[in-house]
Amino acid sequence: MLKPHPTVLRRLVEEYEALAATGTVTHGVAAHAPRIGDLAYTLCVSTGTRDVRQALATAHRWLTVADGPDAADAAAQPAAV
């Protein structure tokens, strides 16, 4: 499975969580804002899940790995060919 770039995934998570904090989400379902429904769908597709809670958990796990201590070292070294 292809993984989204960490920057894109982080933006999706941050926007979803910001909208969710406003109270427009009830049990992972968009109550009033179509945008949050779009974000939930995109997060699910991007993480290969069917539930936005699972998508968020997976996204946070992937972002933790992407931000790990080895990420800075890997970015500084050229990739092997």
Side-chain angles (χ1 to χ4, degrees):
M1 181 173 97
L2 295 174
K3 287 186 180 181
H5 191 277
T7 304
V8 173
L9 188 60
R10 186 173 291 107
R11 183 184 53 79
L12 289 169
V13 169
E14 288 173 356
E15 188 176 351
Y16 180 88
E17 289 177 343
L19 287 175
T22 66
T24 58
V25 174
T26 306
H27 304 292
V29 178
H32 303 291
R35 177 65 180 153
I36 200 158
D38 293 344
L39 289 165
Y41 174 82
T42 304
L43 280 165
C44 288
V45 170
S46 298
T47 58
T49 60
R50 292 182 179 216
D51 180 81
V52 72
R53 291 169 293 200
Q54 292 174 341
L56 288 168
T58 300
H60 281 290
R61 190 171 57 251
W62 288 354
L63 290 171
T64 300
V65 170
D67 293 339
D70 296 341
D73 294 335
Q77 297 176 359
V81 277

